[in-house]
């Protein structure tokens, strides 16, 4: 146990980002963190709380409040499973500190236990926050007893354990009994395929249920004839017991829930003792890669301008690195899938024909939502894909490359912004333009929306690079940590969400309540976004080079 504690403390310490010595920078980071809490964590918490409240309040009439809690918990467990698998696999097998630990007299289960604790620490801040928010929604909808509060407190910190144990067991079995995984890129490709299949499955599911909103509701939330709850209880059996313990204060169900968690951890550690180290033997045996000889490398080399060469370098990093490709590039082109799922969950008619009729009857209202929606969505999407907010951190140990190549800092900076701008703008408008044509939106509204969208994307792209220059995460073992452990990604997202909410709210108030003409609202948006872009350009030109220079001195 002493070895486990020492390993866990050491591993967690190695994950922490270096702190700036500049007092102003530290103050700025604290202010931005407060913004993130205000515009990311709080909105997510409100959404989870409201969803749980609606489910529990609606099902309380049938005395099955536990089904509402179970549904939310199952979704959180799926979230943990999908996004935790990559983290677990990387920590268990592709973390550089393992090579230093293996020669020590450390047992396999101790190393796995420490790595599992680190993965829990890294991957579950948002999940724990979601559980707390969901429970708050439950408390407002129901009148729980003392045992419900005790069960809720335990659930907050233990709900992610079983999904992460699944990830650990699966990763060890894959590494021991197959040779499909040769490196971390192989893992990320497998995960990308699995996620694509899951998303496709959900799309097909909602297409099937689209004909009847009642069928969709029954599929998810009713206890009788509820395939979703039944299936998920088989995958995550502990949710069934903890939801009953919270809803009804059942002590026996709480004890069973605790035993399931203990059993899952014990089973994972038992399997680790048997096969964990043997998995490394397969990794070493299959990890040899072919190297191109020098002559072949020279044959494929061509002379390019510095701008073109650096641009290609940035694009290759994003497209050839599976972690960056699946987390930064794919979201720009997959977002219509999630929009489709949301539309299929609604009870009103959101078909193409209905939208055409609505546009014919109220073209100005459609124009307003097209313009305002393009601005808000562009702000959020640019921050969400995090292409700009990890652009300098992506350099990692090759950060000095920025210093020695004959390309000015300004040019490098602009290229990083250009890559973020290009992928985001194309990803958004390659779908919105055909949609606008099919619905029959006024071309003038489309042109105005595209112009405002371009300004929105440009602002967030420059802001993301600027934030990442203040305190980039240059020390990392795998590319996923650049995204998961980089606070600049969350900071950029928080600021973008805050600005999007303010612009959307103020724009709607001006148009709906103050009856300001759409032309004037659009002109006001243009002025605001232009000023924000000028502010970021000024800030970048003044502080950007200094931030990079300070990092070089560290």
């Amino acid at each position: 146990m002493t070895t486990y504690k020492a390993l866990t403390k050491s591993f967690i310490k190695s994950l922490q980002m270096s702190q700036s010595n500049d007092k102003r920078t530290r103050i700025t980071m604290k202010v931005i963190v407060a913004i993130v809490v205000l515009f990311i964590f709080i909105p997510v918490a409100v959404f989870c709380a409201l969803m749980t409240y609606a489910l529990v309040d609606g099902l309380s009439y049938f005395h099955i409040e536990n089904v509402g809690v179970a549904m939310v918990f199952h979704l959180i467990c799926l979230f943990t499973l999908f996004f935790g698998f990559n983290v677990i696999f990387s920590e268990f097998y592709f973390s550089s500190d393992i090579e230093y630990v293996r020669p020590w007299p450390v047992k396999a289960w101790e190393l796995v236990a420490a790595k599992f604790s680190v993965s829990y620490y890294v991957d579950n801040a948002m999940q724990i926050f979601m559980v707390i928010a969901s429970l708050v929604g439950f408390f407002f909808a129901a009148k729980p007893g003392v045992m419900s509060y005790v069960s809720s407190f335990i659930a907050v910190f233990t709900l992610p354990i079983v999904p992460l144990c699944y990830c650990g067991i699966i990763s060890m079995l894959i590494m021991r009994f197959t040779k499909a995984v040769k490196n971390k890129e192989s893992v990320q490709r497998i995960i990308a395929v699995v996620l694509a299949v899951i998303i496709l499955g959900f799309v097909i599911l909602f297409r099937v249920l689209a004909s009847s909103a009642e069928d969709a509701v029954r599929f998810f939330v009713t206890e009788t004839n509820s395939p979703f709850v039944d299936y998920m209880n088989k995958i995550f059996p502990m949710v069934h017991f903890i939801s009953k313990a919270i809803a009804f204060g059942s002590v026996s169900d709480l004890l069973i829930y605790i035993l399931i968690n203990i059993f899952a951890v014990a089973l994972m550690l038992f399997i680790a003792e048997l096969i964990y180290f043997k998995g490394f033997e397969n990794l070493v045996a299959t990890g040899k890669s072919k190297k191109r000889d020098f002559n072949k490398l020279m044959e494929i080399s061509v002379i390019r301008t510095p701008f073109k060469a650096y641009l290609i370098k940035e694009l290759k990093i994003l497209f050839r690195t599976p972690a960056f490709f699946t987390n930064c590039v794919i979201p720009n082109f997959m977002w219509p899938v999630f929009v489709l799922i949301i539309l299929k969950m609604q009870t009103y008619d959101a078909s193409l024909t209905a939208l055409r009729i609505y546009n014919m009857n109220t073209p100005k209202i459609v124009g307003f939502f097209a313009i305002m929606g393009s601005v808000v969505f562009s702000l959020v999407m640019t921050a969400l894909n995090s292409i700009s907010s990890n652009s300098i951190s992506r350099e990692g140990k090759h950060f000095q490359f920025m210093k020695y190549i004959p390309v000015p800092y300004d040019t490098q900076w602009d290229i990083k912004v250009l890559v973020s701008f290009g992928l985001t703008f194309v990803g958004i408008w390659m779908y919105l333009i055909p949609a606008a044509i099919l619905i029959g939106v006024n071309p003038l509204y489309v042109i105005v929306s595209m112009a405002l969208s371009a300004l929105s994307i440009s602002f967030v792209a420059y802001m993301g690079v600027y934030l990442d220059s203040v305190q980039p995460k240059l020390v990392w073992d795998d590319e996923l940590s650049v995204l998961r452990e980089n606070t600049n990604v969350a900071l950029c997202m928080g600021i973008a969400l805050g600005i999007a909410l303010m612009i959307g709210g103020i724009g709607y108030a001006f148009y709906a309540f103050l009856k300001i003409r759409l032309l004037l609202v659009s002109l006001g948006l243009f002025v605001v976004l232009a000023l924000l872009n000028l502010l970021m350009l000024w800030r970048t030109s003044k502080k950007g080079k200094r931030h990079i220079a300070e990092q070089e001195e560290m």
Side-chain angles (χ1 to χ4, degrees):
M1 189 59 69
T2 302
T3 303
Y4 158 73
K5 291 180 180 179
L7 288 173
T8 303
K9 184 177 181 180
S10 175
F11 292 155
I12 292 178
K13 191 71 175 178
S14 66
L15 296 174
Q16 297 176 354
M17 295 179 65
S18 58
Q19 300 296 319
S20 173
N21 294 323
D22 185 17
K23 184 177 180 180
R24 288 184 301 174
T25 301
R26 292 199 304 269
I27 295 175
T28 302
M29 295 299 286
K30 290 179 180 179
V31 172
I32 298 178
V33 167
I35 295 174
V36 170
V37 173
L38 183 62
F39 293 110
I40 292 184
F41 281 86
I42 292 180
V44 169
V46 171
F47 174 78
C48 291
L50 291 176
M51 181 172 66
T52 307
Y53 176 86
L55 289 171
V56 174
D57 185 60
L59 295 172
S60 61
Y61 178 79
F62 304 99
H63 304 289
I64 51 172
E65 299 93 329
N66 61 299
V67 177
V69 177
M71 178 185 172
V72 177
F73 280 5
H74 280 312
L75 294 175
I76 294 174
C77 286
L78 283 174
F79 181 86
T80 305
L81 184 66
F82 294 158
F83 294 98
F85 187 71
N86 209 340
V87 175
I88 287 283
F89 223 126
S90 298
E91 280 294 331
F92 277 25
Y93 290 99
F94 300 110
S95 180
S96 61
D97 50 28
I98 297 178
E99 294 299 325
Y100 297 98
V101 175
R102 283 190 66 191
W104 296 2
V106 177
K107 295 180 180 179
W109 73 267
E110 292 175 326
L111 182 55
V112 168
K115 285 294 182 181
F116 181 83
S117 300
V118 172
S119 301
Y120 175 91
Y121 172 82
V122 168
D123 194 55
N124 287 292
M126 180 60 77
Q127 287 90 317
I128 290 175
F129 197 76
M130 292 165 65
V131 174
I132 295 174
S134 301
L135 291 171
V136 170
F138 167 77
F139 293 147
F140 276 102
K143 297 179 179 179
V146 176
M147 281 308 302
S148 295
Y149 286 99
V150 174
S151 301
S152 300
F153 179 80
I154 294 174
V156 166
F157 300 102
T158 58
L159 189 65
I161 289 178
V162 171
L164 289 180
C165 286
Y166 286 168
C167 296
I169 293 172
I170 293 170
S171 65
M172 288 187 288
L173 292 175
I174 290 174
M175 293 302 295
R176 175 62 182 91
F177 297 107
T178 73
K179 295 184 179 180
V181 178
K182 299 180 180 181
N183 48 46
K184 56 192 174 185
E185 285 78 14
S186 302
V187 178
Q188 292 158 356
R189 289 190 184 99
I190 293 171
I191 293 172
V193 173
V194 172
L195 288 177
V197 171
I198 291 171
I199 291 172
L200 180 61
F202 269 100
V203 173
I204 295 173
L205 169 66
F206 279 102
R207 293 286 294 181
V208 172
L209 297 174
S211 59
S212 173
E214 292 181 0
D215 290 341
V217 173
R218 187 182 303 113
F219 180 85
F220 281 104
V221 300
T222 59
E223 189 171 33
T224 58
N225 190 24
S226 174
F228 178 79
V229 176
D230 289 342
Y231 293 157
M232 294 307 299
N233 281 339
K234 295 176 182 177
I235 300 173
F236 303 113
M238 75 289 181
V239 171
H240 172 72
F241 296 101
I242 191 62
S243 61
K244 291 179 68 176
I246 292 173
F248 308 126
S250 172
V251 177
S252 59
D253 286 313
L254 177 61
L255 293 176
I256 295 174
Y257 168 79
I258 294 173
L259 289 174
I260 292 175
N261 280 274
I262 293 174
F263 174 78
V265 174
L267 178 62
M268 181 188 67
L269 297 181
F270 175 75
I271 294 174
E273 191 65 27
L274 295 176
I275 66 175
Y276 180 64
F277 283 141
K278 293 180 181 179
F280 281 105
E281 297 174 5
N282 287 343
L283 182 63
V284 173
T286 60
K288 297 179 180 179
S289 60
K290 296 180 179 179
K291 296 183 179 179
R292 292 175 174 170
D293 57 51
F294 180 75
N295 292 331
K296 189 173 182 179
L297 183 62
M298 292 301 295
E299 289 177 4
I300 63 175
S301 300
V302 293
I303 299 176
R304 300 186 178 97
T305 63
F307 184 93
K308 184 178 180 181
Y310 199 90
L311 176 62
I312 292 174
K313 187 269 292 186
E314 287 290 315
L315 290 173
K316 283 185 175 180
I317 290 176
L318 286 171
F319 279 87
R320 290 185 175 181
T321 307
F324 296 145
F325 182 71
T326 55
N327 290 276
C328 300
V329 178
I330 286 182
N332 299 293
F333 305 97
M334 289 294 292
W335 62 266
V337 175
F338 299 100
V339 172
L340 177 62
I341 291 175
I342 293 173
L343 290 177
K344 294 302 180 184
M345 293 179 67
Q346 307 304 316
T347 56
Y348 54 80
D349 186 4
S351 63
L352 187 62
T353 302
L355 292 175
R356 283 189 190 137
I357 296 174
Y358 189 74
N359 178 62
M360 291 175 61
N361 295 330
T362 56
K364 290 187 177 180
I365 295 178
V366 172
F368 168 78
F369 282 106
I371 292 172
M372 192 61 63
S374 65
V375 171
V376 172
F377 186 69
S378 296
L379 289 169
V380 174
M381 194 66 201
T382 313
L384 187 65
N385 63 37
S386 68
I387 295 175
S388 62
S389 55
N390 68 67
S391 57
I392 295 178
S393 296
R394 284 198 302 266
E395 302 289 345
K397 61 183 179 181
H398 303 295
F399 175 73
Q400 293 297 324
F401 177 79
M402 296 182 67
K403 176 180 179 181
Y404 294 111
I405 60 174
V407 181
Y409 286 148
D410 291 340
T411 302
Q412 297 183 50
W413 199 292
D414 290 338
I415 291 173
K416 292 180 183 296
V417 172
L418 177 63
V419 170
S420 175
F421 179 90
L423 290 174
T424 309
F425 189 83
V426 171
I428 291 174
W429 287 100
M430 70 180 291
Y431 296 109
L432 290 186
I433 290 178
I437 293 174
L438 292 173
I439 295 172
V441 179
N442 188 326
L444 178 61
Y445 296 152
V446 177
I447 294 173
V448 172
S449 298
M450 291 180 68
L452 293 173
S453 172
L455 287 174
S456 303
I457 296 171
S458 173
F459 163 68
V460 178
Y462 266 105
M463 179 181 67
V465 180
Y466 174 79
L467 290 173
D468 201 37
S469 72
V470 177
Q471 191 179 336
K473 182 175 177 58
L474 300 176
V475 180
W476 41 267
D477 292 326
D478 85 58
E479 292 82 0
L480 193 64
S481 63
V482 180
L483 305 169
R484 297 295 180 104
E485 301 163 19
N486 190 349
T487 57
N488 300 319
V489 173
L491 300 180
C492 181
M493 195 177 301
I495 296 174
L497 282 173
I499 293 175
L501 289 173
M502 286 189 290
I503 288 178
I506 295 173
Y508 181 78
F510 281 172
Y511 182 77
F513 299 112
L514 300 180
K515 306 300 180 182
I516 305 296
R517 295 178 59 187
L518 183 56
L519 176 63
L520 294 178
V521 172
S522 302
L523 183 61
L525 284 173
F526 184 87
V527 172
V528 170
L529 292 170
L531 289 175
L532 289 174
N533 275 273
L534 290 174
L535 174 64
M536 286 312 308
L537 287 172
W538 170 78
R539 192 70 180 176
T540 297
S541 62
K542 184 178 180 181
K543 299 288 186 179
K545 292 181 181 180
R546 193 189 81 176
H547 290 161
I548 296 176
E550 288 177 351
Q551 288 295 330
E552 291 171 346
E553 295 171 0
M554 293 178 62

